[in-house]
Amino acid sequence: MRVWFLSAGLALMCMAQNAAAGTVLIVGDSISAAFGLDTRQGWVSLLEQRLKAEGFDDKVINASISGDTSAGGQARLPALLAAHKPELVILELGGNDGLRGQPPTQLQQNLAAMIDSSRASGAKVLLLGMQLPPNYGRRYTDAFARVYSTLAEEKQVPLVPFFLKDIGGVPGMMQGDGLHPSVAAQGKLLENVWPTLKPLL
């Protein structure tokens, strides 16, 4: 009888763990796609390892595409939500919008639409903020950076203010092109995200 109770208890625990397990969907660009690296070295792969190490059963779907813009992400998102039914959506987009000089207002509209559609599907949202180098001019870089803080306040979504904090411009942290984080930076990318991400799991 005692063995039966133990077996039943273990089964219930497993069922509870499986019920708690969810899907994390990452919609990003080359930074999350680990451009120039083996994807196993990227911060998303490190996130999967961290989740396992800390006892989380969440599945990670990396739907990031190098070169993608907020408009591209918005266009792809409905199918991704329908296919994966995530509990959490991480939005890491905007860098390519800025590098192409696209209007910050358009970036804000696209990200706002992605936040709304993610929430409508029942998912939480985490927004990863980006900043541009100063050579784009202060007026534009300030307007670009404000997009993320404005959305976080208006939509009440958790925000990592600057995903590349302590990486951009730091020797050894960027690849030769000066645009993409190196292998050495991937752990720092995860550390920049983890404190805000963990409470959402």
Side-chain angles (χ1 to χ4, degrees), residues 73-94:
Q74 184 187 355
R76 295 191 293 119
L77 185 59
L80 291 169
L81 293 173
H84 302 293
K85 299 177 174 54
E87 278 69 36
L88 173 63
V89 175
I90 300 177
L91 299 178
E92 183 272 299
L93 287 167

Side-chain angles (χ1 to χ4, degrees), residues 27-103:
V27 185
D29 52 32
S30 56
I31 298 176
S32 295
F35 177 86
L37 309 174
D38 184 322
T39 55
R40 292 171 294 184
Q41 299 173 314
W43 82 269
V44 175
S45 181
L46 297 181
L47 170 61
E48 293 178 294
Q49 295 171 36
R50 174 71 63 87
L51 290 171
K52 245 179 226 185
E54 298 209 9
F56 293 99
D57 293 326
D58 299 78
K59 179 181 181 182
V60 178
I61 302 294
N62 190 0
S64 302
I65 297 178
S66 294
D68 206 8
T69 62
S70 61
Q74 184 187 355
R76 295 191 293 119
L77 185 59
L80 291 169
L81 293 173
H84 302 293
K85 299 177 174 54
E87 278 69 36
L88 173 63
V89 175
I90 300 177
L91 299 178
E92 183 272 299
L93 287 167
N96 290 310
D97 296 62
L99 294 176
R100 297 176 187 183
Q102 296 179 359

Side-chain angles (χ1 to χ4, degrees), residues 70 97-98 100-110 140 143-144 147:
S70 61
D97 296 62
R100 297 176 187 183
Q102 296 179 359
T105 51
Q106 187 61 56
L107 169 62
Q108 185 167 330
Q109 290 170 12
N110 292 338
Y140 185 75
F144 180 90
V147 165

Side-chain angles (χ1 to χ4, degrees), residues 16-28:
Q17 286 179 349
N18 288 335
T23 297
V24 177
L25 173 66
I26 301 173
V27 185

